[in-house]
Amino acid sequence: MTARRPTRVSAPFLPFTRPSIDEETIAGVAEVLRSGWITSGPQVRAFEAALSAMFGGRPVLAFNSGTCTMEVALRIAGIGPGDEVITTPLSWVATSNVILAVGARPVFVDIDPVTRNIDLALAGQAVTPRTRAIIPVDLAGLPVDRDRLYQIAARHRLRVIEDAAQSIGANWRGRPVGSTGDFVSFSFHPNKNITTIEGGALVLNDEREADLAAQYRLQGVVRSGPDAMDVAVAGGKYNLTDVAARVGLGQLPRLGEVTRRRRELARRYLDLLGAPGLGDLGLGLPPADFEQGNWHMFQVLLPEKLAVPRAAVMQQMHEAGIGTGAHYPVIHLFTLYRGLGWKPGDFPHAERAGRDLLTLPLFPDMTRGDVARVVRELARVIRANLKP
Ligand SMILES: *Cc1c(COP(=O)(O)O)cnc(C)c1O
């Protein structure tokens, strides 16, 4: 931990998230390192097979990020210059950078302030003759309404690239995210519910798409003999290493337990934050969904009656030994996107969330006591900073 530890706090610093890698996995990684084959090979194939089994046998390819997965999906769908892709301004910037990367135009619509996910009614209204795809994001692991999403996609003949970077282990009406739908993209960054250090996976529809994805993953190479290869598409360098895949293979069997534990801790947060004594804080709480979401993050919306900006709350929480996060500053107000024409006020719900959402600590190795401590300190910090 690089976090500064104030002297008056005796409890250890509590980060907002922390990966959890067991000893068996660490030993397995050492074995791979000694094996003589450390880049893409048998571990990657085993990891892909395990993911595919989780997703009802759909084709799955592993990649070295949950960003290139979406870029490759857009390329497979043939989306490029002149095309529009609808998405949310409240996400990690990767979600829309990939649209620019293939030369298409992102079209943002506002979020639903309750779910904090893309407002699907607005998404439907934003469709033009140039719209080719939609990239919804399951923010904090709360799934976007798949029924409405695919109704809109079918009505307007849109491809869907589900940015499920945060929602592995979540489900829609009992069906695991990844097991249904069009393209589904996962990330295994260390902050995500399971990790490969860096990495991602793309779920595809058929073998033709999987073949193409494999080409885009590695320089477009297609081998046709021990000394023969051809290249028909300009692929990238997006392959996962066997070392990383071995980490993922150690993580996957624990996904159910991780999801269960996250739901339990989130329920504890909601119980404590919803208690009558804390009603005066004016916090906006996430939907109480313990069936479908995987609780990738627990985010509260800070009250408008606060006299200080979020950064001051984060600083004071840090001084109390508690890490917090800001997920995410809205995309459309970054310099790159302002340059494309967006401005403050375009998406009021997303902008409020981008300014005032605070991510509280939530990871499987936390205790119920940690949750109580976070709530106690948060209540103290907010009360100390209310407008007079
Ligand atoms: C993490 C994340 C990504 C990108 O994943 P990387 O593996 O870091 O490239 C994309 N979208 C969302 C919503 C994410 O949370």
Side-chain angles (χ1 to χ4, degrees):
M1 281 296 101
T2 53
R4 189 163 54 87
R5 288 173 195 196
T7 43
R8 71 184 176 80
V9 174
S10 53
F13 188 84
L14 183 69
F16 81 81
T17 190
R18 188 164 62 203
S20 167
I21 315 271
D22 61 23
E23 290 303 321
E24 188 276 328
T25 303
I26 293 170
V29 166
E31 239 172 76
V32 172
L33 287 171
R34 292 190 193 101
S35 73
W37 192 282
I38 55 179
T39 189
S40 313
Q43 301 295 324
V44 167
R45 287 193 292 275
F47 185 47
E48 290 172 338
L51 288 167
S52 176
M54 243 178 81
F55 304 140
R58 298 185 68 191
V60 180
L61 265 72
F63 286 78
N64 61 21
S65 78
T67 300
C68 59
T69 43
M70 294 191 283
E71 183 179 327
V72 166
L74 288 166
R75 290 194 194 282
I76 293 172
I79 291 166
D83 297 332
E84 294 176 359
V85 179
I86 296 171
T87 193
T88 169
L90 187 69
S91 182
W92 176 233
V93 66
T95 309
S96 60
N97 277 353
V98 295
I99 301 170
L100 295 178
V102 301
R105 179 173 173 78
V107 173
F108 297 113
V109 299
D110 208 349
I111 59 162
D112 171 339
V114 174
T115 64
R116 302 158 181 171
N117 284 330
I118 189 168
D119 182 326
L120 288 172
L122 295 177
Q125 291 161 22
V127 173
T128 75
R130 290 175 178 272
T131 309
R132 298 282 315 283
I134 176 166
I135 308 186
V137 177
D138 300 322
L139 191 73
L142 182 71
V144 167
D145 182 331
R146 296 298 196 271
D147 301 331
R148 291 182 65 201
L149 170 66
Y150 282 97
Q151 269 165 21
I152 293 168
R155 185 176 319 133
H156 301 286
R157 297 172 182 278
L158 307 180
R159 295 304 301 262
V160 177
I161 296 108
E162 298 182 18
D163 184 349
Q166 303 186 2
S167 54
I168 194 154
N171 69 84
W172 179 255
R173 296 189 193 279
R175 291 187 296 271
V177 169
S179 66
T180 63
D182 194 352
F183 297 107
V184 186
S185 166
F186 294 100
S187 166
F188 305 120
H189 177 276
N191 283 1
K192 307 303 201 273
N193 288 20
I194 62 169
T195 187
T196 60
I197 308 176
E198 298 287 355
L202 182 62
V203 186
L204 302 120
N205 295 288
D206 53 40
E207 290 310 318
R208 185 198 67 87
E209 285 184 359
D211 282 349
L212 208 43
Q215 291 172 46
Y216 280 116
R217 180 169 64 179
L218 196 66
Q219 314 292 6
V221 169
V222 179
R223 297 194 182 274
S224 54
D227 64 347
M229 60 176 250
D230 192 19
V231 172
V233 302
K237 171 64 179 174
Y238 300 145
N239 57 304
L240 191 71
T241 71
D242 257 23
V243 174
R246 180 61 187 83
V247 177
L249 279 167
Q251 295 264 290
L252 260 190
R254 299 174 58 202
L255 179 60
E257 170 60 17
V258 162
T259 306
R260 196 192 59 72
R261 180 67 182 154
R262 284 177 169 274
R263 285 177 179 158
E264 189 177 301
L265 293 167
R267 189 189 287 275
R268 185 75 186 139
Y269 264 124
L270 281 179
D271 284 351
L272 293 178
L273 288 167
L278 296 187
D280 63 310
L281 296 180
L283 285 171
L285 300 178
D289 162 36
F290 304 108
E291 299 290 324
Q292 301 193 131
N294 70 357
W295 291 96
H296 170 60
M297 296 190 283
F298 188 94
Q299 299 180 289
V300 295
L301 190 69
L302 294 175
E304 264 165 327
K305 58 185 180 179
L306 216 50
V308 298
R310 176 178 56 193
V313 173
M314 294 177 77
Q315 180 59 34
Q316 290 174 39
M317 290 295 283
H318 192 271
E319 282 159 13
I322 294 169
T324 57
H327 305 94
Y328 292 95
V330 284
I331 297 171
H332 67 285
L333 298 183
F334 293 138
T335 299
L336 173 63
Y337 290 87
R338 285 187 197 230
L340 297 170
W342 284 285
K343 58 185 186 315
D346 282 346
F347 310 112
H349 293 306
E351 287 169 32
R352 171 83 207 286
R355 194 167 52 240
D356 289 336
L357 271 184
L358 184 72
T359 306
L360 301 180
L362 181 62
F363 53 91
D365 296 337
M366 262 175 76
T367 66
R368 285 164 64 87
D370 289 330
V371 173
R373 179 179 149 216
V374 173
V375 169
R376 199 165 55 239
E377 294 297 339
L378 181 66
R380 181 185 60 75
V381 168
I382 289 178
R383 289 208 176 100
N385 291 285
L386 288 178
K387 281 178 187 156

